[in-house]
Amino acid sequence: MADSIRLRFSVGETGRFISHLDVLRLMERSVRRAALPIEYSEGFNPIPKMSFASALPVGVTSNCEYVDLKMSADVDGCEATAALNSVLPQGFRILDAVNVPDRSEALMSIVNTAQYEVRIRESVQGIEEKINGVLAHKELLITVERKRKTQVKDIRDLIDALTYDPESNTVYLQCASGLKNNLRPMDILPFLGLSLGDVLIHRTALLVKTASGDLLTPFDVIKG
């Protein structure tokens, strides 16, 4: 039985406003154009078998997006990388690829942590004090819309780390990211006195945090 291929890809400036659903469609088209032997679902409307780690928020760039492609025949990761990069549009690029043994856990079921850089466009006073205030709170409540209903959500426990580097004028965030718990970096901006127009957000890592607190990449999990 053929292995899957796990790809790490980047989303650049020209791709950051494309929704996750459109990224999925883009990847499906690119796999077809690259003539990769991907496995398809059964039924009247077969679709390529692929699974993403975690949806990238619209407006955010990244160098750490992951997708698994279920192959119907053995394909070398380097060959898949070259084939896809020859057809992917500007703003998207495959960075690494490894073969994944069949029956490995799905990406979205193991990735639970993300790291972000939030670069502030202009100098703003009091960011460090606001961060200290955020970390001192026992709860941070935001309002979210789900299924046409307004809900209040406490995001404090979803923040693992929040720091600020004055030299680069950048906030660094480590937070929950996954099926069970998920924090969008823009959700913390109001607590820092910032809006989306004030910042550029870049996802630097999607990780698997183990029960012991170790942080592994989706590639490390395979090697381990």
Side-chain angles (χ1 to χ4, degrees), residues 50-54 105-112 177-180:
M50 59 175 63
S51 61
F52 289 79
S54 180
E105 291 184 271
L107 271 171
M108 64 176 60
S109 70
I110 60 173
V111 168
N112 54 18
S177 179
L179 287 177
K180 293 183 179 180

Side-chain angles (χ1 to χ4, degrees), residues 89-179:
Q90 185 178 3
F92 295 85
R93 185 164 184 82
I94 308 300
L95 303 176
D96 300 292
V98 296
N99 291 86
V100 183
D102 194 51
R103 300 183 184 278
S104 295
E105 291 184 271
L107 271 171
M108 64 176 60
S109 70
I110 60 173
V111 168
N112 54 18
T113 301
Q115 294 176 345
Y116 296 91
E117 293 178 353
V118 182
R119 184 163 65 84
I120 305 171
R121 295 176 185 269
E122 298 181 1
S123 179
V124 178
Q125 298 297 318
I127 291 294
E128 288 180 282
E129 289 78 6
K130 289 184 174 70
I131 286 177
N132 290 335
V134 165
L135 297 177
H137 277 78
K138 292 185 178 180
E139 63 177 18
L140 293 172
L141 302 180
I142 64 170
T143 301
V144 296
E145 296 285 340
R146 287 182 179 170
K147 297 180 180 179
R148 300 181 181 179
K149 292 183 179 180
T150 300
Q151 299 179 354
V152 176
K153 178 181 178 181
D154 182 7
I155 63 171
R156 177 60 187 90
D157 288 343
L158 305 184
I159 300 173
D160 293 337
L162 188 64
T163 59
Y164 174 66
D165 175 28
E167 289 191 10
S168 61
N169 202 25
T170 300
V171 173
Y172 295 91
L173 169 68
Q174 180 175 303
C175 61
S177 179
L179 287 177

